[in-house]
Amino acid sequence: MRTLWAAIPVAGIVVLAGCGSASDSDSASGGSKGKLVVWDWKSGDATASSYVKKAKATLLGAAMQAGKGPDVMLFNGGGQIRDRGDSLLPLDEYVCDDKKRLAGWEAFTKDSKTYAAPVTLQGHPIYYNKSLYRKAGLDPEQPATSWDEFVANCQTITKATGARCFTQGNKEGTGIQFLLSGLGSVLSPTEYDDWIAGKRDWSSPAVERVFSLWKEANDKGLNNDGANSTAMFNDAFAGFQSSKAAHVIGLMSDTGRWTDFAEFLDAGNVGVMKSPVVTAGATPSLPYGGGIGYAVAKWTKDPKLAADLVRSLTSTDALKSVYADAGAIAADRTVDVSSGGPAVVTIVSELDRGKPAPHVALSSKTVDLMGRLSQQLPSGSVTVDAAVKQLATSDQAG
């Protein structure tokens, strides 16, 4: 998972002066002269995701503590990179020309400083199986807009087809992240904006409703059986692909995305719907942010060259390949997705009206706690009120 990027062909990554010009130096940090060292954990197999996650955290933690290691690193957006901000080089002076072209910067920003350039966008659309809707006598082009209507439609689908409402996997504790962000319309517009800005009111009835919905979905049989023992990657997604459930809160990029589902259900049967409104007055929006992005270590010996590499990795030509070859939603707004099928076209059409995913605003420590509590809520071993209080304490300490 370690790649050496030759610094000799600098012409291939030269940018114009004025906003972070390319370095004309032959030297670069890491390993040997003339090379930049990149650790790329993204190349791992999906089945090894848990292993890679732990190895990555260990390697990054050791490098940060030692103050040496790779020059350029790939990060998930959100708490992971914000927790590492003190060891990363702010990139604002180098990437200002890219700000309008690329989306998802907020996920790599802390205290008004940008620490990585986005490669992909990640978010949590609600995918639905149009074929199951038709079999149940529902209009697949008119999905529910309110939570009560949504639950009623689910009951109709289950009665007609035997399919559950949701396929859910929470063995790793990640399912609650998907629900929090996928059903972000539980929060009012003001509460949503405050949440993202760090002014989270954990005593709000709407916040408590998020976690009561999690328990409610299990208690009412909306989810597949054994959600807590089902792996999100890839067992839960397999349930949607095999038409065992009508809906899944999936991903925009990586495993569990539109291209995966289209292989089994046919692209025309993969729908993307806005979150049904849970709280009156809420405005549903696509929950998304920066997915993965490249950052530069503070100890790099040649910041300009390292930043130029990041800009090369996030150039339009490079990100066209990310979309075409990997099936990810590229962070570049100029990439044409019109031939990709209705699901991806719907997703991209909502980007300008979208908002950051709520769970990404939380620290990694609080997200981990949320995962553990989500495994206890269905059994009643922790109450919704107690879970919310624990999360409030963690968030406010962070």
Side-chain angles (χ1 to χ4, degrees):
M1 295 188 294
R2 172 169 156 162
T3 304
L4 295 179
W5 293 83
I8 295 174
V10 170
I13 57 174
V14 166
V15 295
L16 296 177
C19 183
S21 60
S23 170
D24 57 4
S25 169
D26 286 339
S27 65
S29 60
S32 59
K33 183 178 180 181
K35 292 182 179 180
L36 291 173
V37 179
V38 182
W39 286 355
D40 185 354
W41 49 268
K42 190 61 182 172
S43 56
D45 189 279
T47 59
S49 60
S50 178
Y51 165 76
V52 172
K53 180 179 179 181
K54 291 178 180 178
K56 171 173 61 70
T58 302
L59 287 169
L60 285 175
M64 299 303 182
Q65 289 181 6
K68 60 183 180 180
D71 299 275
V72 177
M73 294 168 281
L74 190 64
F75 279 91
N76 283 314
Q80 184 198 57
I81 193 168
R82 295 188 187 111
D83 291 348
R84 308 290 193 187
D86 290 345
S87 298
L88 299 175
L89 181 75
L91 297 178
D92 300 271
E93 67 177 289
Y94 304 104
V95 300
C96 56
D97 282 346
D98 301 323
K99 285 296 183 76
K100 289 184 179 180
R101 178 176 58 87
L102 300 177
W105 294 98
E106 296 87 352
F108 304 106
T109 301
K110 180 180 180 180
D111 298 331
S112 300
K113 293 181 180 179
T114 303
Y115 290 103
V119 173
T120 65
L121 299 179
Q122 189 60 282
H124 296 77
I126 302 176
Y127 295 98
Y128 68 101
N129 186 327
K130 292 185 177 183
S131 177
L132 289 176
Y133 269 63
R134 282 191 289 269
K135 289 178 180 178
L138 299 173
D139 184 352
E141 305 308 322
Q142 299 292 327
T145 57
S146 71
W147 179 253
D148 290 342
E149 181 189 3
F150 177 77
V151 172
N153 283 354
C154 283
Q155 292 169 342
T156 298
I157 292 170
T158 299
K159 184 176 181 180
T161 70
R164 293 292 179 91
C165 181
F166 282 114
T167 178
Q168 182 61 267
N170 199 47
K171 185 176 181 179
E172 310 92 338
T174 54
I176 188 65
Q177 300 174 33
F178 284 53
L179 182 130
L180 171 60
S181 290
L183 297 180
S185 63
V186 171
L187 304 175
S188 70
T190 299
E191 283 182 309
Y192 197 119
D193 292 343
D194 285 346
W195 179 283
I196 300 301
K199 297 180 289 185
R200 290 178 278 277
D201 180 6
W202 288 91
S203 65
S204 164
V207 173
E208 185 167 312
R209 180 67 173 136
V210 173
F211 298 93
S212 65
L213 277 177
W214 174 258
K215 181 169 171 53
E216 178 183 318
N218 181 76
D219 293 347
K220 290 187 175 181
L222 299 182
N223 294 333
N224 52 285
D225 293 333
N228 262 354
S229 59
T230 300
M232 176 70 77
F233 303 91
N234 290 318
D235 294 346
F237 296 131
F240 180 71
Q241 291 168 177
S242 60
S243 298
K244 293 180 180 178
H247 309 85
V248 66
I249 302 175
L251 295 173
M252 288 165 50
S253 302
D254 302 312
T255 303
R257 64 187 184 275
W258 45 281
T259 51
D260 293 342
F261 303 144
E263 291 179 13
F264 295 85
L265 301 177
D266 183 80
N269 281 325
V270 181
V272 175
M273 62 183 291
K274 290 184 179 179
S275 170
V277 174
V278 179
T279 303
T283 304
S285 61
L286 178 68
Y288 84 97
I292 56 174
Y294 281 102
V296 175
K298 184 176 287 185
W299 55 76
T300 186
K301 297 176 183 177
D302 195 332
K304 289 183 179 180
L305 183 60
D308 280 350
L309 175 56
V310 169
R311 296 197 68 201
S312 178
L313 292 166
T314 56
S315 67
T316 295
D317 283 345
L319 297 188
K320 283 180 180 178
S321 296
V322 167
Y323 163 71
D325 299 336
I329 303 294
D332 194 319
R333 299 174 185 273
T334 68
V335 173
D336 181 14
V337 302
S338 59
S339 63
V344 66
V345 170
T346 299
I347 290 170
V348 172
S349 71
E350 292 294 324
L351 291 179
D352 286 341
R353 294 182 291 275
K355 291 188 176 183
H359 84 270
V360 177
L362 301 173
S363 70
S364 54
K365 179 181 178 181
T366 300
V367 167
D368 288 344
L369 173 62
M370 186 168 66
R372 294 194 298 274
L373 292 170
S374 72
Q375 293 171 324
Q376 299 171 35
L377 280 167
S379 66
S381 58
V382 66
T383 65
V384 170
D385 182 62
V388 171
K389 286 180 179 177
Q390 288 186 51
L391 289 167
T393 299
S394 174
D395 185 39
Q396 291 158 6

